[in-house]
Amino acid sequence: MNKLLLPLTVLLGAALFLAGVMADRPGSPEAGVFPMAEDITAARMIPGGEEEGAQSPVDLNLQHDDKNRLEIARILYWLSVGTLQGGLSRQPLPSGGPEQLVMETADGTVLTLTNAVDRIAVPAQDSWLTTGVSVPQTVNVRINDMAGRITAPDLKRWMEEELPRRIEESRKAPQ
């Protein structure tokens, strides 16, 4: 009996330890936090940068363009497997940008993604200079009036590389 008690105790201790580690670890967003790809009815890319406001948003054709639908599905997948940092709250986030991706569902849910950027201040002679610094592997996410940050390396790369390229291509495309 004593020979069986020791292995069972060790096994139970290991299981409790792993359960505690998993509970303390920030995890993937809960199921249902982000809309499903088939629920997205409209999506648009909003340019930013120096001439902010000078350009109108670029609507993505989701009805007749399977490439855009696939891209939206990929983005929502990256969100669902990302790590939500501290949950969603009504507290404002540091500004992000400059470009944004805005998705809307039929029930009125609005999902906005921006590149996570933190402002820093650097001393310069008699004043301070402020600048933005990109937060590694992190994007800002806003669902209606709730906001948070999510660590999603593939989505961060898309926000920094693909989104500006797609906006630039739309500028060059004949209207």
Side-chain angles (χ1 to χ4, degrees):
M1 180 85 164
N2 286 340
K3 291 181 183 181
L4 185 59
L5 188 58
L6 181 62
L8 285 176
T9 304
V10 171
L11 188 59
L12 179 62
L16 289 174
F17 174 76
L18 285 175
V21 168
M22 296 305 280
D24 289 341
R25 203 182 98 197
S28 296
E30 294 176 18
V33 170
F34 300 113
M36 301 293 290
E38 57 269 12
D39 297 333
I40 301 295
T41 57
R44 65 186 167 281
M45 302 176 294
I46 301 175
E50 306 264 328
E51 60 275 349
E52 192 168 344
Q55 290 187 28
S56 58
V58 178
D59 290 322
L60 295 175
N61 180 349
L62 300 178
Q63 306 308 323
H64 304 292
D65 191 336
D66 289 338
K67 180 182 172 192
N68 288 338
R69 272 244 171 280
L70 182 60
E71 192 163 41
I72 294 298
R74 210 173 40 194
I75 290 165
L76 291 170
Y77 170 76
W78 291 330
L79 282 172
S80 72
V81 298
T83 303
L84 193 57
Q85 300 175 1
L88 296 172
S89 71
R90 287 187 167 79
Q91 298 297 319
L93 289 174
S95 63
E99 293 87 8
Q100 297 180 15
L101 175 65
V102 179
M103 296 174 269
E104 298 174 19
T105 65
D107 70 358
T109 300
V110 178
L111 175 65
T112 304
L113 303 175
T114 57
N115 196 358
V117 176
D118 281 340
R119 298 275 176 224
I120 62 166
V122 180
Q125 294 179 352
D126 295 336
S127 64
W128 291 84
L129 296 174
T130 59
T131 187
V133 177
S134 181
V135 180
Q137 301 183 356
T138 305
V139 297
N140 293 339
V141 60
R142 176 169 292 286
I143 302 173
N144 295 329
D145 64 342
M146 303 294 283
R149 283 193 163 169
I150 192 162
T151 302
D154 291 326
L155 181 55
K156 176 70 168 196
R157 191 170 22 265
W158 186 89
M159 293 290 296
E160 289 182 336
E161 297 170 10
E162 189 65 20
L163 182 58
R165 185 186 66 74
R166 294 279 311 268
I167 290 172
E168 184 62 31
E169 284 178 357
S170 71
R171 289 180 187 172
K172 295 176 182 177
Q175 299 296 332

